[in-house]
Amino acid sequence: MPNINRTLKMSDIAGFEANYYCRVGEKRISHIFPPHMHDNLEVYVLLEGDASFMVEQSLYHLEPGDAIVTKPNEIHNCVLNSVSVHKHLCFWFSADRGALLEDFLQHDFGKDNLISPTPEDKEKLHALYEKLQALNENDSKRYEFSLLLQILELWGRNISCTAPLQQVPAELQSILEDINHNFLNIKNLDYFTDKYFISQSTLNRLFRTHLHTTPGLYLEAKRLAHSRLLLKKGKSVLAACMEAGFSDASNYIRLFKKRFGVTPRQYKDS
């Protein structure tokens, strides 16, 4: 399957929009991609390679054909475990298309993200991925839409609610769960060193080794994600800033634009 990059918009079907790409990477060494988040529903599909996927506090090991679903504002990143060719698909869907996507939006953050199809369904899905790759300008949008609907149906019936997780150190697992529940009230990193009796250097090493980020940046990402939800609910920029745990509005606006490419006001207005 060669590289592809496509967008399908079906404005006559409740504004349905899907973007997807396929990438066949060179053989590369083990690598941890930086944590990030999206506005849309994302489904990452591993086609070839030795990869895991981190979603919030959960780390999933993937077999070829497995997929990971993340809903808006779930922090996630891909982890290449060893030297291998990284071949994958990524899909993004407008997350407000509830009737089509409700099965993928109901999970709690960092839970039940794995789609692990049966061998039979993996074959069916691979055939559908190949058909998407083979599309040309003469094929109708209805045909492309029907392929995506079949893929969504197969994904939906293979979401695993009992997926075994890869282990991260228990100490880091506790810290991540703590952040998920209390990020609005954590004022600085001394909170972790005092509560977990660890040094700043140990705290930083845990995050850099397993998440490829720092505890400060991870906490910042959680607050920025929460502020986006507040802006979507109609909160003012100042209210979103303060209620998300930021103490300085100008710094919040700068961080928001750096992370998302637009100011909070532009995001709210859009």
Side-chain angles (χ1 to χ4, degrees):
M1 180 182 289
N3 290 341
I4 58 173
N5 196 335
R6 289 198 177 93
T7 297
L8 172 66
K9 294 183 179 181
M10 300 287 284
S11 57
D12 53 338
I13 305 179
F16 178 86
E17 181 175 341
N19 298 273
Y20 56 96
Y21 74 74
C22 176
R23 289 287 181 272
V24 183
E26 299 289 332
K27 182 177 288 189
R28 45 187 312 171
I29 61 174
S30 58
H31 178 72
I32 303 176
F33 294 91
H36 58 283
M37 69 191 89
H38 303 290
D39 269 338
N40 295 329
L41 178 81
E42 178 187 281
V43 180
Y44 164 96
V45 182
L46 178 67
L47 297 174
E48 181 182 342
D50 177 16
S52 299
F53 217 89
M54 189 88 185
V55 186
E56 298 288 341
Q57 74 278 6
S58 299
L59 183 62
Y60 301 90
H61 179 72
L62 303 181
E63 299 293 337
D66 287 348
I68 290 288
V69 57
T70 53
K71 61 185 181 180
N73 291 310
E74 269 191 296
I75 299 174
H76 58 279
N77 61 292
C78 183
V79 180
L80 301 185
N81 296 311
S82 63
V83 176
S84 63
V85 173
H86 183 214
K87 182 177 180 181
H88 67 285
L89 278 160
C90 255
F91 296 80
W92 293 275
F93 299 93
S94 300
D96 55 352
R97 303 283 78 83
L100 294 175
L101 303 173
E102 59 185 355
D103 290 346
F104 308 100
L105 293 167
Q106 295 175 353
H107 63 271
D108 294 331
F109 274 39
K111 295 183 179 180
D112 304 335
N113 302 96
L114 179 65
I115 299 172
S116 186
T118 64
E120 180 182 2
D121 282 349
K122 280 187 179 182
E123 288 187 15
K124 292 178 181 178
L125 282 164
H126 187 75
L128 290 166
Y129 301 149
E130 291 284 355
K131 288 179 180 179
L132 282 180
Q133 182 270 331
L135 288 173
N136 59 59
E137 60 184 16
N138 296 320
D139 291 313
S140 69
K141 286 186 177 181
R142 289 187 304 276
Y143 175 60
E144 185 177 9
F145 183 59
S146 72
L147 294 177
L148 289 169
L149 285 183
Q150 292 176 72
I151 289 171
L152 285 169
E153 172 61 25
L154 288 167
W155 284 343
R157 73 188 192 194
N158 284 282
I159 294 176
S160 175
C161 297
T162 57
L165 301 176
Q166 278 188 247
Q167 294 299 311
V168 298
E171 199 167 34
L172 178 58
Q173 185 73 32
S174 296
I175 292 171
L176 292 173
E177 291 176 358
D178 197 348
I179 291 175
N180 285 343
H181 288 100
N182 301 307
F183 66 91
L184 294 177
N185 301 314
I186 298 173
K187 303 304 181 185
N188 54 56
L189 299 184
D190 290 341
Y191 171 90
F192 302 110
T193 56
D194 293 342
K195 182 173 181 178
Y196 295 95
F197 305 104
I198 58 175
S199 65
Q200 285 276 3
S201 60
T202 299
L203 181 67
N204 281 311
R205 177 177 53 78
L206 284 170
F207 273 79
R208 288 196 177 279
T209 300
H210 298 280
L211 302 181
H212 202 57
T213 189
T214 67
L217 288 175
Y218 188 88
L219 186 59
E220 177 188 286
K222 292 291 294 185
R223 288 175 173 158
L224 286 171
H226 185 66
S227 78
R228 294 206 306 182
L229 295 177
L230 295 173
L231 291 169
K232 280 190 172 183
K233 291 178 179 179
K235 295 282 188 177
S236 69
V237 172
L238 182 59
C241 166
M242 296 303 165
E243 290 181 30
F246 294 96
S247 58
D248 180 80
S250 60
N251 186 51
Y252 163 66
I253 293 169
R254 179 185 62 81
L255 292 172
F256 193 102
K257 186 172 183 180
K258 181 180 179 182
R259 171 76 66 155
F260 304 118
V262 295
T263 65
R265 170 59 62 184
Q266 291 169 328
Y267 181 81
K268 177 179 170 66
D269 291 344
S270 69

